[in-house]
Amino acid sequence: MLSRSPGRASRLALALTAAALALTALPATAQGTPDPLARFHHQRLAWKSCVLGPDDTTGKELEQAGARCADVTVPLDYSDPGGRTITVAISRIRATDTAHRVGPLLLNGGGPGGPSLGDAPWVREAMKDVAARYDVVGVDPRFVGRSTALDCRWPTGSAWRGAGEDRAGFDRMAAFSKDLARRCRTHAGDVLPHATTRNTARDMDVVRTALGERRISYLGYSYGSYLGEVYTSMFPGRTDRVVLDGVIDPDRYSARLWRGVEPANRQALQGWASWAAARDATYGLGRTRGEVLATVERIRAAAARTPLRLGDHRLDEHVMPIVVLNGLSQDNDEAYGDFAQGVRDMLRASWGERVTPSPGLAGVLDFVLTGADSPYGSAQAAVVCGDNAAPRDPEVYWRDVQRARARDPLFAPVTNNLNPCAYWDRPRERPTTVRDDLPALLVNATGDPRTSYDGARTVRSDWPSSRLVTLRGADQHGVYGIFGSPCVDDAVNAYLATGRLPARDVDCAAPARR
């Protein structure tokens, strides 16, 4: 959600139905009433190689897994289906056990703005034997990845920044956010009103019909959980088995979605600090958790005084907290090590040393401080801002930052800060009213620093027919097929295999950290 992480999780950007619904009749167009979307529903897909060129790693992985790709044509504006069209790119690895085929499993790895076309191979691997019964379908949502592009030509891949230390810093970020919104109106104003979760859900339904299916199953991570909630509410009866991993409470989904995640990120930072302290001989950040946390605080204070030089980049008070947040979504030794090396780089820079950033930190800095990933950030902001109206008065954000800063000077100035949504045009549609109950399989880690565990518990309470698979003792965002918990993976695969939810909620313990 609203960030990118190294490795497999970078494909997730940044997660609902049981067999009881399998007997629900599909809503039909009234007899004699022409279907305004008929040309989209009945289109013939031209399946082709997924490889776009010799350097296309994603395409080669898909081809090796047996996938084929296609472009699905959808309306830009569903209120004008005879008007302009765009394309949604999909990949498909077909079921091999055709005698027991369940149907297609559509994927969304989160973001918003994250591509999912390339996720089919590793999801299929996570599904183990049950994968043979599904067509695993990766989807790049509208304006993302290989689908019709949306690019505001930003100088950054992310709209999110810290507010800084004082009012002058906050005002700089207000001007920065206003400029990002202006660039979007200038370079993508014709499509911005149509970059919404509701339209992405409508596209999913066109994909369903273009595949010739009465129902789809769905696996959504992070923001993809909200997309799943919206799709099943807009198109009841058109889903089979759906899993939501990293669950967003739909009542909290807004242009200020970051608010409230400070405690979970503080916990994740403390967990990482303990890990780094045990490896002080390698990273030199401190021999105790307290010493490592003090090192992070010294770096924050140094960046606020004078931007830190890291290669060709300058790391200031607005970006340093984003680097920390980006390092806290995956609870494993590889991700912790990459982050520790990045903190070591920042520490050396705070001493005035000339530092060439390590690959992990260099990737984050390139993402945040250059326009290389402008399409990602543009699409992300377009959806977030297009779904919900945000407060337009900067003073609202300034007061929130000031109130929260004392409790958490590192994270609160990010999570309470304003963003381009404060300067966006009003959404054309109201947010979806998510249905009251759905028999669904929900998955969440207790320490998830992106989609907090409280959201999963709220959705579980609101949907008493659902079941919750909890990974305890891990500060992990995105669990199924990512974290490596046999308990979680087996519970999800059993549901995908049978369509039957567990009799009760499932608790899984993360292995003790060495």
Side-chain angles (χ1 to χ4, degrees):
M1 178 183 72
L2 307 185
S3 69
R4 304 184 95 185
S5 307
R8 176 178 290 181
S10 68
R11 298 177 180 176
L12 305 179
L14 5 171
L16 306 167
T17 301
L21 286 181
L23 300 179
T24 305
L26 288 174
T29 303
Q31 189 172 4
T33 303
D35 177 6
L37 299 175
R39 69 183 178 119
F40 304 103
H41 289 162
H42 302 300
Q43 63 186 291
R44 297 176 67 89
L45 300 183
W47 294 99
K48 58 191 176 184
S49 170
C50 298
V51 181
L52 298 183
D55 298 325
D56 181 11
T57 302
T58 297
K60 291 177 180 178
E61 290 176 355
L62 285 164
E63 186 167 81
Q64 187 175 5
R68 301 286 285 174
C69 288
D71 293 322
V72 180
T73 302
V74 298
L76 171 66
D77 181 354
Y78 276 87
S79 69
D80 181 22
R84 180 178 168 186
T85 63
I86 58 174
T87 58
V88 171
I90 66 173
S91 64
R92 180 176 67 179
I93 305 175
R94 302 203 72 161
T96 54
D97 184 0
T98 55
H100 302 95
R101 179 178 179 274
V102 176
L105 176 70
L106 269 63
L107 311 177
N108 184 278
S116 297
L117 178 138
D119 291 340
W122 71 258
V123 170
R124 198 169 189 276
E125 181 181 345
M127 294 170 71
K128 300 179 181 177
D129 293 344
V130 73
R133 299 176 56 197
Y134 284 87
D135 294 344
V136 184
V137 180
V139 182
D140 281 354
R142 59 169 50 202
F143 309 127
V144 170
R146 299 188 185 187
S147 298
T148 298
L150 187 163
D151 186 1
C152 299
R153 303 183 195 176
W154 281 358
T156 179
S158 174
W160 276 260
R161 295 287 192 277
E165 298 292 299
D166 54 23
R167 182 61 192 235
F170 175 81
D171 289 343
R172 282 194 299 273
M173 289 303 95
F176 173 76
S177 296
K178 188 174 184 178
D179 179 63
L180 295 184
R182 179 194 62 79
R183 289 172 183 257
C184 279
R185 281 192 296 273
T186 299
H187 300 295
D190 56 335
V191 298
L192 285 185
H194 312 293
T196 66
T197 299
R198 287 177 62 83
N199 280 331
T200 302
R202 292 176 176 119
D203 294 344
M204 283 175 56
D205 205 54
V206 171
V207 170
R208 174 190 65 79
T209 58
L211 292 173
E213 302 289 346
R214 289 177 58 79
R215 294 176 179 83
I216 57 172
S217 294
Y218 178 77
L219 169 63
Y221 293 86
S222 191
Y223 162 79
S225 71
Y226 179 69
L227 175 60
E229 293 160 359
V230 170
Y231 179 81
T232 54
S233 298
M234 291 178 65
F235 300 100
R238 299 186 186 183
T239 49
D240 187 354
R241 305 161 200 187
V242 183
V243 180
L244 302 186
D245 189 322
V247 185
I248 291 177
D249 174 3
D251 290 337
R252 291 196 64 250
Y253 176 78
S254 73
R256 306 189 74 189
L257 187 60
W258 274 109
R259 296 184 74 196
V261 302
E262 302 95 327
N265 279 277
R266 178 60 57 179
Q267 174 183 301
L269 182 63
Q270 291 170 347
W272 166 81
S274 296
W275 181 95
R279 295 158 178 81
D280 182 57
T282 301
Y283 301 107
L285 301 176
R287 290 176 292 179
T288 67
R289 182 175 78 175
E291 289 179 359
V292 175
L293 293 173
T295 296
V296 173
E297 174 57 23
R298 284 197 299 273
I299 295 169
R300 185 193 70 80
R305 289 192 300 270
T306 305
L308 310 182
R309 295 182 63 184
L310 290 148
D312 295 330
H313 297 301
R314 301 294 181 269
L315 184 73
D316 65 11
E317 60 187 331
H318 306 294
V319 174
M320 184 273 177
I322 297 296
V323 172
V324 177
L325 278 165
N326 196 84
L328 298 174
S329 67
Q330 301 300 298
D331 189 342
N332 61 65
D333 287 344
E334 180 182 0
Y336 274 16
D338 286 344
F339 181 45
Q341 186 57 60
V343 174
R344 174 68 182 175
D345 294 340
M346 292 189 288
L347 178 62
R348 290 174 53 216
S350 75
W351 296 337
E353 295 184 20
R354 295 184 67 88
V355 179
T356 299
S358 55
L361 178 58
V364 176
L365 295 176
D366 287 343
F367 174 65
V368 177
L369 295 174
T370 76
D373 285 295
S374 170
Y376 179 97
S378 301
Q380 182 176 87
V383 173
V384 172
C385 302
D387 280 344
N388 291 275
R392 304 185 78 82
D393 183 359
E395 298 305 317
V396 171
Y397 303 91
W398 173 244
R399 288 194 296 268
D400 288 345
V401 167
Q402 291 297 87
R403 277 195 292 262
R405 188 193 301 276
R407 297 193 305 272
D408 195 321
L410 178 61
F411 296 126
V414 177
T415 59
N416 290 276
N417 198 19
L418 83 176
N419 58 61
C421 299
Y423 303 98
W424 219 258
D425 292 340
R426 294 292 183 181
R428 288 194 175 184
E429 292 187 272
R430 293 181 180 274
T432 303
T433 300
V434 172
R435 60 186 301 169
D436 293 337
D437 186 23
L438 191 73
L441 190 62
L442 315 174
V443 181
N444 228 96
T446 52
D448 188 331
R450 293 291 180 272
T451 50
S452 67
Y453 185 57
D454 286 346
R457 290 193 296 184
T458 297
V459 174
R460 173 66 178 90
S461 176
D462 290 344
W463 296 348
S465 300
S466 67
R467 296 292 181 269
L468 175 59
V469 180
T470 298
L471 177 65
R472 298 195 178 277
D475 301 324
Q476 172 71 28
H477 182 53
V479 180
Y480 171 68
I482 302 166
F483 182 76
S485 166
C487 174
V488 172
D489 292 355
D490 289 350
V492 173
N493 287 339
Y495 170 60
L496 292 175
T498 65
R500 293 190 297 272
L501 289 166
R504 58 186 62 86
D505 291 343
V506 177
D507 271 14
C508 299
R513 188 173 293 285
R514 295 187 299 275

